[in-house]
Amino acid sequence: MKAAKRKTLEAKGWKVGSVEDFLELSPEEVAYIEMKFALSNTLKAHRAKEKLSQVEVAKIFKTSQSRVAKMEAGDPSVSIDLLVKSLLALGASPKDLAKAIS
Amino acid sequence: MKAAKRKTLEAKGWKVGSVEDFLELSPEEVAYIEMKFALSNTLKAHRAKEKLSQVEVAKIFKTSQSRVAKMEAGDPSVSIDLLVKSLLALGASPKDLAKAIS
DNA sequence: TGCATATATGTCGAATATGACATAATCTAC
DNA sequence: GTAGATTATGTCATATTCGACATATATGCA
């Protein structure tokens, strides 16, 4: 955020800070969430590359379309485990995953 | 395994193959397990570097010594999620984790 | 517009992961 | 040896994650 914009908002009574400040997240929690979103986005990218619908990859993953949607949204109910397993099922290699979180 | 050793075992009636053949694991399952062990070993390495006991890191992680032991053993009851969170709590960066699984 | 396809959200019972505890095994001096 | 510290294993009640379903909200196209 630009300093000018920050001043404007603060003048209007907003408390301005980073998202992690606002939600009171520790650096580890932030890193964890960022990793999850990185994997979510990678999953979306892999599915887009294959031009598959969520219903189609759901069959490959042996799960439901709704869970695929939640995976891609980085929903709190989705574990990194599930994202990793799904990405591997889509043909991603461990190195691809490493790149994704770097 | 050396070819000679393989021949000897096969002559005795053993079916010789890779661990994944024996356990009938798919490549994805193998990759998943290997990632888990990579993270387990990284966790052990980080703890060793800090010269902490399992009891000590258990306090940091807010868990028990027995679960730490299972984490480091790559026990099936331990998720990648838990390993990632624990490593982050020990000060590892996402890049460190990326290196670990590469 | 209306209709089909795709994606998102909320909820629920079942499955899995979790921390905790007891106890066993292993290591490390003395 | 053995005493103390450390690490490993088995089990269990609770918590979290899971697939599935219903339903809502897009998105595209005639």
Side-chain angles (χ1 to χ4, degrees), chain A residues 53-59 63-71:
Chain A
S53 69
Q54 289 183 347
V55 170
E56 289 170 315
V57 294
K59 279 194 184 173
T63 182
S64 60
Q65 174 270 325
S66 59
R67 186 136 299 274
V68 173
K70 281 160 190 169
M71 286 186 218

Side-chain angles (χ1 to χ4, degrees), chain B residues 14-64:
Chain B
W14 288 94
K15 291 275 181 290
V16 178
S18 64
V19 176
E20 50 265 42
D21 284 347
F22 178 67
L23 296 175
E24 295 179 11
L25 297 175
S26 67
E28 302 96 89
E29 289 169 327
V30 173
Y32 174 80
I33 292 171
E34 284 178 350
M35 283 182 58
K36 235 167 98 163
F37 274 99
L39 293 172
S40 291
N41 289 331
T42 306
L43 181 59
K44 269 193 269 191
H46 271 254
R47 183 171 69 82
K49 195 180 171 192
E50 311 273 346
K51 302 201 176 175
L52 298 169
S53 68
Q54 291 183 346
V55 170
E56 288 170 316
V57 294
K59 280 194 183 174
I60 296 173
F61 299 166
K62 293 177 180 155
T63 183
S64 60

